[in-house]
């Protein structure tokens, strides 16, 4: 038996990844930029075992089969090829936050799986190799490998498409107050959404202007300029959702409460509070603010109709091996 365990955090993108140039290798149509979320954690153990007839996956105590297991097997196959190993593996993964509701559990899940599987197989991969490995399972997972504020350069091919940190977690005391409106699984997976992106007449315009937004966002982070971050983050989220809503078939992830939170956040910023919103492939709203305001923002969000609960996260560290 060969075992290892790892933890990883999800991330929230300020500049979004939506659409693949190569869906098999998951080479994105644009580069993206995100912040890891401390406190929200996936913990995964992998055991390669000569006795196992097939790979097994347990997620939050439930055995997973079908497409979920296939995605895990595809990553394990890459690891087995690199390590010259034929043993099947058992992967056990636990999230301490709701799965599949716009909190990017696939990002932390596949980042933790990549680290645990590589370590269990005896591979010594560097951060870039781990990021590439995670990317092939879930694009955004490549951004959960490095720590802090992370850029995923789209690259040209498998070798050049990986994520790297632009600043460590302690660089900027930001918080993500996640207004959880629904804990149910999203109706359309992001995998399917990436495929539909190209059917929107707005996707070409979004992609053509993404590099410029990323440069503005990177600069805002490096200079800790909240107003600049707020404007480009909301613009980028709105552009991605415009693409989603105009795909065929259209994807409408927002609920009435999503709009209630968006309007409240815009009003609070107009009153001088450093807050902005961003939304992934689900109804929940990620409300980014300076940490000094996080308790107040969480309290105010909690009072809005339709908000079930608020999870608060700070900039998180890298995916890492832990002692089992
Ligand atoms: O990594 P995936 O396939 O789950 O795609 C994630 C896409 C978004 O969360 C909507 C945007 C992003 O960049 O994280």
């Amino acid at each position: 038996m060969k075992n290892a365990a790892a933890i990883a955090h999800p991330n929230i993108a300020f500049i979004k990844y939506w659409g693949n140039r190569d869906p098999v290798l998951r080479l994105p149509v644009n580069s993206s930029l995100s912040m890891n979320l401390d406190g929200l954690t996936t913990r995964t153990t992998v055991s390669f075992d000569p006795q196992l007839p097939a790979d097994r996956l347990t997620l939050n105590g439930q055995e997973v089969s079908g497409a979920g297991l296939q995605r895990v097997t595809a990553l394990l196959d890459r690891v087995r090829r690199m390590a010259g190993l034929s043993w099947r593996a058992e992967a056990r993964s636990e999230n301490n936050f709701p799965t599949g509701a716009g909190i990017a559990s696939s990002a932390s899940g596949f980042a933790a799986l990549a680290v645990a599987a590589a370590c269990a197989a005896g591979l010594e991969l560097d951060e870039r190799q781990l990021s590439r490995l995670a990317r092939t399972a879930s694009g955004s997972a490549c951004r959960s490998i490095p720590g802090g504020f992370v850029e995923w350069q789209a690259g040209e091919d498998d070798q050049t498409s990986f994520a790297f940190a632009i600043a460590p977690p302690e660089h900027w005391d930001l918080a993500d107050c996640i207004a959880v409106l629904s804990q149910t699984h999203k109706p359309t997976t992001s995998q399917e959404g990436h495929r539909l992106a190209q059917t929107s007449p707005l996707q070409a315009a979004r992609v053509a202007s993404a590099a410029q937004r990323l440069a503005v966002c990177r600069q805002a982070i490096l200079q800790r300029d909240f107003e600049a971050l707020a404007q480009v983050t909301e613009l980028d989220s709105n552009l991605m959702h415009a693409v989603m809503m105009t795909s065929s078939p259209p994807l409408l992830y927002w609920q009435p409460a999503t709009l209630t939170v968006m309007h409240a956040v815009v009003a609070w910023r107009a009153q001088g509070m450093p807050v902005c919103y961003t939304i992934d492939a689900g109804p929940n709203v990620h409300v980014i603010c300076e940490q000094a305001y996080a308790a107040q923002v969480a309290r105010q969000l909690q009072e809005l109709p339709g908000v079930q609960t608020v999870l608060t996260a700070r900039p998180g560290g890298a995916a890492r091996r832990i002692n089992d």
Side-chain angles (χ1 to χ4, degrees):
M1 272 251 272
K2 292 161 166 278
N3 298 317
I7 59 169
H9 304 295
N11 63 74
I12 180 64
F14 302 129
I15 302 297
K16 308 291 190 186
Y17 149 55
W18 198 245
N20 287 314
R21 210 153 43 77
D22 180 331
V24 176
L25 286 172
R26 286 179 221 270
L27 302 177
V29 289
N30 64 280
S31 298
S32 53
L33 186 50
S34 60
M35 176 178 94
N36 280 2
L37 302 177
D38 194 27
L40 308 182
T41 304
T42 299
R43 184 181 182 286
T44 300
T45 58
V46 172
S47 316
F48 287 99
D49 181 346
Q51 310 290 339
L52 278 175
D55 291 328
R56 293 185 61 183
L57 169 65
T58 312
L59 183 56
N60 297 322
Q62 305 260 26
E63 175 119 27
V64 177
S65 57
L69 176 61
Q70 270 171 28
R71 255 170 113 174
V72 165
T73 288
L75 186 147
L76 293 171
D77 281 344
R78 285 176 86 91
V79 169
R80 280 187 280 256
R81 266 199 304 279
M82 281 191 261
L85 186 70
S86 61
W87 299 354
R88 303 289 108 186
E90 164 146 34
R92 292 173 176 277
S93 195
E94 306 274 341
N95 293 329
N96 71 351
F97 57 93
T99 304
I103 312 179
S105 58
S106 68
S108 53
F110 285 109
L113 181 73
V115 173
C119 290
L123 293 170
E124 283 179 21
L125 303 186
D126 62 22
E127 184 184 272
R128 186 180 295 190
Q129 290 170 308
L130 287 168
S131 179
R132 287 171 44 213
L133 176 63
R135 189 203 73 231
T136 58
S138 165
S140 60
C142 79
R143 298 190 311 240
S144 281
I145 295 286
F149 298 85
V150 176
E151 181 172 333
W152 172 13
Q153 66 171 38
E156 297 293 318
D157 52 22
D158 179 43
Q159 303 276 336
T160 53
S161 188
F162 56 85
F164 52 89
I166 62 160
E170 56 281 5
H171 168 71
W172 197 1
D173 291 340
L174 291 184
D176 179 5
C177 300
I178 307 165
V180 178
L181 313 176
S182 157
Q183 304 215 13
T184 55
H185 265 273
K186 46 195 172 195
T188 307
T189 62
S190 47
Q191 194 158 239
E192 173 66 0
H194 289 299
R195 207 177 56 73
L196 296 180
Q198 63 191 11
T199 67
S200 164
L202 305 183
Q203 171 74 339
R206 187 193 73 83
V207 172
S209 53
Q212 200 211 338
R213 282 190 302 285
L214 191 138
V216 169
C217 186
R218 188 198 295 120
Q219 192 71 359
I221 289 169
L222 295 178
Q223 296 180 343
R224 302 187 193 88
D225 179 344
F226 193 90
E227 186 54 36
L229 177 74
Q231 285 185 22
V232 77
T233 297
E234 290 186 355
L235 171 62
D236 196 82
S237 175
N238 290 346
L239 282 165
M240 181 181 71
H241 284 273
V243 167
M244 290 164 160
M245 288 176 205
T246 51
S247 304
S248 11
L251 302 175
L252 181 56
Y253 288 106
W254 298 354
Q255 294 293 329
T258 310
L259 269 167
T260 303
V261 176
M262 291 162 80
H263 278 292
V265 167
V266 169
W268 298 340
R269 189 159 79 257
Q271 289 158 17
M273 204 188 228
V275 283
C276 68
Y277 67 77
T278 184
I279 302 157
D280 280 344
N284 300 335
V285 186
H286 292 254
V287 180
I288 310 298
C289 64
E290 292 179 355
Q291 259 168 45
Y293 293 83
Q296 189 187 344
V297 168
R299 229 180 5 258
Q300 290 182 196
L301 284 172
Q302 198 73 72
E303 283 166 10
L304 296 176
V307 175
Q308 290 182 1
T309 152
V310 179
L311 305 170
T312 300
R314 295 158 176 242
R320 55 207 178 267
R321 186 179 188 170
I322 52 167
N323 289 327
D324 198 3

